[in-house]
Amino acid sequence: MTSFLLLAGAVLVLLLIRPTVQMAQNVAPLFVLVLLYFVLLGLSRRAIARQFAQQPGAHGPRMLLLDAAGAHWRWNGGSSDIGWKNYIRTVEGKNHFLFYISPVNFIILPKRAFDEQQINELQSLLSQQIHSR
């Protein structure tokens, strides 16, 4: 998308340097598409924020217990117990861990919830229990 925006910017600069009616007619669809993209992006972000605000289970603290059987998640109004064999992989980022239960579905675990020793223990546990397939 970035290259698309750069191309649109270059065409706009060209249009400002040598404006012609034909060039304006040729690039008008490009600018309409860019405008439509940003409108749809804004609408989807509002929908995501509204969905989060209307989901009571997404608010409040969450608790995680890790043991030999798997991960046990608890939150306001719900719980989930997922055995290690159900996780297909984990990814560690700068600020979080991602627990993948399918190629497109994961659970986010922020690192800010742990001290340095706990992070090291978690990394060790994950390397023992979850093997990428």
Side-chain angles (χ1 to χ4, degrees):
M1 186 62 191
T2 304
S3 58
F4 183 72
L5 290 175
L6 288 174
L7 176 64
V11 170
L12 181 62
V13 168
L14 253 172
L15 187 59
L16 292 174
I17 292 172
R18 272 205 234 157
T20 64
V21 174
Q22 182 62 37
M23 182 180 270
Q25 289 174 342
N26 289 341
V27 299
L30 174 69
F31 290 106
V32 170
L33 287 174
V34 170
L35 179 64
L36 184 62
Y37 170 78
F38 285 110
V39 167
L40 292 176
L41 183 65
L43 291 176
S44 67
R45 286 187 180 178
R46 280 194 205 107
I48 291 168
R50 190 176 3 170
Q51 183 179 7
F52 176 78
Q54 293 175 352
Q55 177 60 29
H59 304 274
R62 291 177 178 256
M63 186 179 76
L64 170 63
L65 172 67
L66 299 171
D67 61 20
H72 311 281
W73 306 85
R74 306 286 181 262
W75 63 90
N76 180 20
S79 66
S80 176
D81 298 306
I82 304 173
W84 291 121
K85 67 179 181 177
N86 294 307
Y87 290 103
I88 60 172
R89 71 181 175 133
T90 59
V91 174
E92 182 178 352
K94 179 181 174 187
N95 300 317
H96 58 270
F97 290 93
L98 302 178
F99 288 73
Y100 280 84
I101 52 180
S102 81
V104 295
N105 191 1
F106 57 85
I107 301 168
I108 302 171
L109 182 62
K111 285 186 175 180
R112 68 176 182 261
F114 300 98
D115 62 32
E116 192 63 36
Q117 179 184 356
Q118 290 172 324
I119 288 176
N120 292 335
E121 291 172 5
L122 178 59
Q123 290 168 332
S124 174
L125 179 66
L126 294 177
S127 68
Q128 293 171 9
Q129 297 291 345
I130 301 175
H131 308 287
S132 295
R133 296 180 186 119

